[in-house]
Amino acid sequence: AQTVTQSQPEMSVQEAETVTLSCTYDTSESDYYLFWYKQPPSRQMILVIRQEAYKQQNATENRFSVNFQKAAKSFSLKISDSQLGDAAMYFCGYYGGATNKLIFGTGTLLAVQP
Amino acid sequence: DTAVSQTPKYLVTQMGNDKSIKCEQNLGHDTMYWYKQDSKKFLKIMFSYNNKELIINETVPNRFSPKSPDKAHLNLHINSLELGDSAVYFCASSQDLTGGNTEAFFGQGTRLTVV
């Protein structure tokens, strides 16, 4: 069965600094897709970034980038120039092309200190 | 226009009652999901429907019964509510996540409190 692990329940970063959130996953599928979602206090789930497993190039989206290490099954999220609005719960997600299942890790609560 | 809408947003009910949560998406997506987020914020998949057909049913008590009258709607009915059912329930929808630059869109969640 596929699993997603986020080993950091909480993280803290100073405003304007850089922080990296960790995510590892386990799968036997070859066709899969990885996501980072953000959940602010409003509860709304917002897509931050997406990575196709068949692409070697790491995805980037403005201040957000990933470090995708396929062999190690690692998918970390780097947030540069952190802003107060980045404070939220971050979920790492996995979607398997064969299982059609979108699952998430346990989440990392990110605090941004002014 | 709200892409994925859930009603109600909050629901407080007594143990033993039966309740329903409704979900509608106006994105034309084929796939819809229900997730349960507990007090520790764990987001666990419960069900997934594709074109009105159940494709994923994750070890959920049979008190929970999803119903999809058409591909734009996926409702969740819960019988004989228990204290442990208290959580936030999220509906989501997506097109085929393997195609193009797609993502799953989530509703705003329904906070269910069983007393």
Side-chain angles (χ1 to χ4, degrees):
Chain A
Q2 297 76 23
T3 58
V4 178
T5 302
Q6 292 179 251
S7 58
Q8 305 154 317
E10 296 183 14
M11 291 283 284
S12 182
V13 63
Q14 291 291 128
E15 201 174 359
E17 296 295 309
T18 296
V19 65
T20 298
L21 308 184
S22 300
C23 173
T24 59
Y25 59 94
D26 190 26
T27 184
S28 57
E29 294 181 283
S30 57
D31 179 28
Y32 58 90
Y33 302 77
L34 300 166
F35 303 84
W36 278 99
Y37 274 83
K38 167 185 174 181
Q39 186 181 44
S42 67
R43 269 193 345 225
Q44 185 65 49
M45 291 283 286
I46 303 163
L47 178 70
V48 175
I49 202 164
R50 163 197 164 106
Q51 173 84 42
E52 291 86 351
Y54 61 84
K55 289 187 178 178
Q56 291 189 341
Q57 187 173 5
N58 290 324
T60 62
E61 194 72 41
N62 300 316
R63 297 182 295 107
F64 299 88
S65 61
V66 300
N67 184 2
F68 175 45
Q69 301 288 328
K70 190 172 183 178
K73 294 181 181 171
S74 170
F75 182 60
S76 60
L77 175 70
K78 185 171 86 169
I79 306 174
S80 304
D81 185 25
S82 297
Q83 300 176 0
L84 295 177
D86 295 333
M89 181 73 87
Y90 286 81
F91 290 96
C92 179
Y94 168 99
Y95 180 83
T99 57
N100 296 306
K101 188 188 295 187
L102 176 59
I103 60 172
F104 293 94
T106 50
T108 297
L109 182 61
L110 177 67
V112 180
Q113 308 299 332
Chain B
D1 272 350
T2 304
V4 182
S5 61
Q6 295 178 228
T7 53
K9 198 171 179 180
Y10 298 94
L11 182 56
V12 181
T13 187
Q14 290 188 325
M15 281 176 55
N17 282 351
D18 303 338
K19 289 294 178 185
S20 292
I21 305 172
K22 295 185 176 181
C23 179
E24 176 181 5
Q25 54 98 0
N26 63 4
L27 299 166
H29 288 165
D30 292 330
T31 304
M32 296 184 73
Y33 313 81
W34 276 110
Y35 289 87
K36 178 181 180 180
Q37 186 172 42
D38 62 21
S39 57
K40 294 182 180 178
K41 303 296 186 184
F42 297 164
L43 198 60
K44 185 176 179 186
I45 189 168
M46 301 172 67
F47 301 103
S48 174
Y49 270 72
N50 184 268
N51 276 319
K52 303 194 298 174
E53 283 193 34
L54 180 67
I55 58 172
I56 293 171
N57 183 344
E58 290 285 299
T59 321
V60 177
N62 57 16
R63 298 182 295 104
F64 290 79
S65 53
K67 283 189 171 52
S68 182
D70 55 62
K71 76 173 194 178
H73 295 83
L74 180 60
N75 304 322
L76 183 65
H77 189 75
I78 315 170
N79 289 329
S80 303
L81 278 154
E82 300 177 357
L83 293 177
D85 297 332
S86 295
V88 179
Y89 291 84
F90 283 95
C91 176
S93 77
S94 73
Q95 206 50 295
D96 180 3
L97 287 175
T98 65
N101 195 23
T102 57
E103 62 179 277
F105 290 83
F106 285 77
Q108 77 275 32
T110 295
R111 181 177 292 280
L112 171 65
T113 304
V114 182
V115 297

